[in-house]
Amino acid sequence: MKTIAQGTESPPARSRAEAPAPVSFREALWYWLKLGFISFGGPAGQIAIMHQELVEKRRWISERRFLHALNYCMVLPGPEAQQLATYIGWLMHRTWGGIVAGGLFVLPSLFILIALSWIYLAFGDVPLVAGILYGIKPAVTAIVLFAAYRIGTRALKNPVLWGIAAAAFVAVFFFRLPFPWIVLGAGIIGAIGGRISPRTFATGGHGESGKNYGPALIDDHTPTPEHARFAWSRVARALIVGLGLWAAAIAGLLALYGTGGTLTQMAWFFTKAALLTFGGAYAVLPYVVQGAVEHYHWLTASQMIDGLALGETTPGPLIMVVAFVGFVGGWNVQVFGPEKLALAGATAALVVTFFTFLPSFLFILIGGPLVETTHKQPHLTAPLTGITAAIVGVILNLALFFAWHVLWPAGFDGRFEWPLLALGIAALIALFRFRVGIIPVIATCGIAGSALRLLAAG
């Protein structure tokens, strides 16, 4: 009896020497829905899940085409895993395929976070829940610090990039420079540096693995489908529709609530945030903190930390923490009055999510056809290298911001939380030394925090 490795399988399975059968829209839809519920582990984990399923097992797309799309998504602002799903869905089933793939990557997380946000605000004062939230705060601080370490070890490959990271930290920590200016400055430095010293600002990207998984439905030499070929008419159509949706939504909010309305302010603020999320969710969190916590006061720093913990424990892109920000902001501001807090929170979460992710779809539908005709160019990735280096410094500042609010919740004149320092150190050891996953660390610290509160009460 021949084995699979010899090229044959028992019917009705196809041989790995043959390309898979064409995938129907319905079959793809069910996969994207499943992915929306199992996409834990942040962008690295989500990309690994898609690679295993789409490249290795199902062979819907070849590794080279998969990595080519991923390299483009990494250059864009926004969540690269969600954009990659959108890209592959669009390549397979046109515009609606991309919308379905990208939308289902987000929607399960959105509804889960709306439910968790309501539980958080409605029952957060219950002793058991309060104890759990007490314990997860130092865990989140450790996770943010670990994120700075992970990004730093990957991005800071030479003294120039270390210098950019240090300069970004000084700019935001000491001079409170707004995040957009840091991104712009780092991008300009990267663009100029990429021309002067290309090797200094070269980015590793995602290269070939050297493995062959057999012919794919969209293989290395599969011709680009008609709908994915570049044409100015398609670019104009996608741009008009996308900007039209954005303008119609903004106009509706302006008509209902005016320029000073909370939902209008959220729409404009998260539109800007969507264009600044180079380097992943941790990169944009400082900007969200600056705006949502310090400027608009939609939520407190403590609530922001809790929201990040909830975002870490739900499927979908981590940037979905913005849905929590919107829900808590709508609830706190009482957008629809004191009798409709849950409705206000859910509406705000939907508004924030729409304006955060709309640009991601446009980047794929507009830029995808061009990417299908070009290869990655160094002058496109050099600015990203500079921005990523700066992001390391910004995330380090965010970790210190969280640590301050966790260890001195009442300010420096108040009591120092020694138990939370101990929990934070334990979380750091678990992450750095033993490589424990984020969800187990949060769960363990939550249980420990609840126990500490019960002991203190007893």
Side-chain angles (χ1 to χ4, degrees), residues 41 65-67 139 183 205 233 247 249 335 430:
R65 298 286 284 268
F66 180 92
L67 296 175
V183 170
S233 59
V335 172

Side-chain angles (χ1 to χ4, degrees), residues 137-226:
K137 285 180 172 63
V140 170
T141 304
I143 289 166
V144 174
L145 187 60
F146 185 58
Y149 165 77
R150 285 188 304 173
I151 297 173
T153 54
R154 186 173 68 244
L156 306 182
K157 299 297 187 181
N158 55 64
V160 173
L161 299 180
W162 274 98
I164 293 175
F169 175 81
V170 170
V172 69
F173 185 83
F174 291 102
F175 299 103
R176 311 302 299 167
L177 192 68
F179 183 70
W181 291 110
I182 294 175
V183 170
L184 178 62
I188 292 173
I189 292 172
I192 297 173
R195 295 184 179 277
I196 297 173
S197 178
R199 293 185 64 183
T200 301
F201 289 86
T203 179
H206 291 260
E208 304 289 341
S209 72
K211 294 183 179 179
N212 180 18
Y213 302 103
L217 188 62
I218 302 175
D219 217 340
D220 293 352
H221 304 294
T222 301
T224 300
E226 176 61 31

Side-chain angles (χ1 to χ4, degrees), residues 56-388:
E56 299 178 32
K57 293 183 178 180
R58 300 173 186 257
R59 292 183 291 138
W60 288 359
I61 186 170
S62 71
E63 173 149 295
R64 182 177 295 177
R65 298 286 284 268
F66 180 92
L67 296 175
H68 186 207
L70 176 57
N71 281 327
Y72 170 60
C73 295
M74 289 193 66
V75 177
L76 298 173
E80 59 265 35
Q82 185 263 349
Q83 290 169 335
L84 179 61
T86 305
Y87 192 108
I88 296 173
W90 162 77
L91 199 58
M92 294 180 64
H93 293 110
R94 309 173 66 91
T95 299
W96 276 111
I99 292 172
V100 166
L104 291 179
F105 197 91
V106 170
L107 288 178
S109 177
L110 171 62
F111 294 125
I112 291 171
L113 273 173
I114 286 176
L116 291 177
S117 300
W118 175 77
I119 293 171
Y120 169 80
L121 290 171
F123 302 102
D125 293 331
V126 174
L128 177 62
V129 178
I132 293 173
L133 295 174
Y134 175 78
I136 65 176
K137 285 180 172 63
V140 170
T141 304
I143 289 166
V144 174
L145 187 60
F146 185 58
Y149 165 77
R150 285 188 304 173
I151 297 173
T153 54
R154 186 173 68 244
L156 306 182
K157 299 297 187 181
N158 55 64
V160 173
L161 299 180
W162 274 98
I164 293 175
F169 175 81
V170 170
V172 69
F173 185 83
F174 291 102
F175 299 103
R176 311 302 299 167
L177 192 68
F179 183 70
W181 291 110
I182 294 175
V183 170
L184 178 62
I188 292 173
I189 292 172
I192 297 173
R195 295 184 179 277
I196 297 173
S197 178
R199 293 185 64 183
T200 301
F201 289 86
T203 179
H206 291 260
E208 304 289 341
S209 72
K211 294 183 179 179
N212 180 18
Y213 302 103
L217 188 62
I218 302 175
D219 217 340
D220 293 352
H221 304 294
T222 301
T224 300
E226 176 61 31
H227 73 272
R229 294 177 183 174
F230 181 81
W232 283 112
S233 59
R234 293 193 181 101
V235 171
R237 185 164 57 248
L239 191 61
I240 290 170
V241 172
L243 292 180
L245 287 172
W246 179 86
I250 284 285
L253 293 173
L254 283 170
L256 290 171
Y257 307 108
T259 56
T262 298
L263 295 179
T264 308
Q265 292 174 335
M266 286 183 173
W268 177 240
F269 174 76
F270 283 100
T271 295
K272 292 186 292 182
L275 301 176
L276 295 170
T277 52
F278 294 97
Y282 284 109
V284 79
L285 282 175
Y287 180 62
V288 174
V289 169
Q290 281 184 343
V293 176
E294 299 177 357
H295 180 71
Y296 291 108
H297 307 292
W298 291 327
L299 72 171
T300 67
S302 178
Q303 288 174 327
M304 186 71 203
I305 298 171
D306 295 336
L308 184 55
L310 293 177
E312 289 278 15
T313 55
T314 55
L318 180 57
I319 194 60
M320 281 304 301
V321 69
V322 300
F324 174 87
V325 173
F327 191 100
V328 175
W331 180 296
N332 287 343
V333 177
Q334 300 183 0
V335 172
F336 300 142
E339 303 300 324
K340 299 179 180 179
L341 297 179
L343 178 62
T347 302
L350 291 170
V351 167
V352 165
T353 302
F354 174 82
F355 285 97
T356 298
F357 284 93
L358 178 62
S360 290
F361 288 97
L362 291 182
F363 290 142
I364 299 303
L365 298 178
I366 292 173
L370 183 61
V371 173
E372 282 296 302
T373 62
T374 61
H375 294 283
K376 185 178 69 171
Q377 300 292 329
H379 69 271
L380 295 178
T381 59
L384 178 65
T385 302
I387 291 170
T388 304

Side-chain angles (χ1 to χ4, degrees), residues 37-52:
F37 283 99
I38 65 171
S39 55
F40 292 93
Q46 292 155 359
I47 291 168
I49 290 171
M50 281 191 282
H51 184 276
Q52 184 180 48

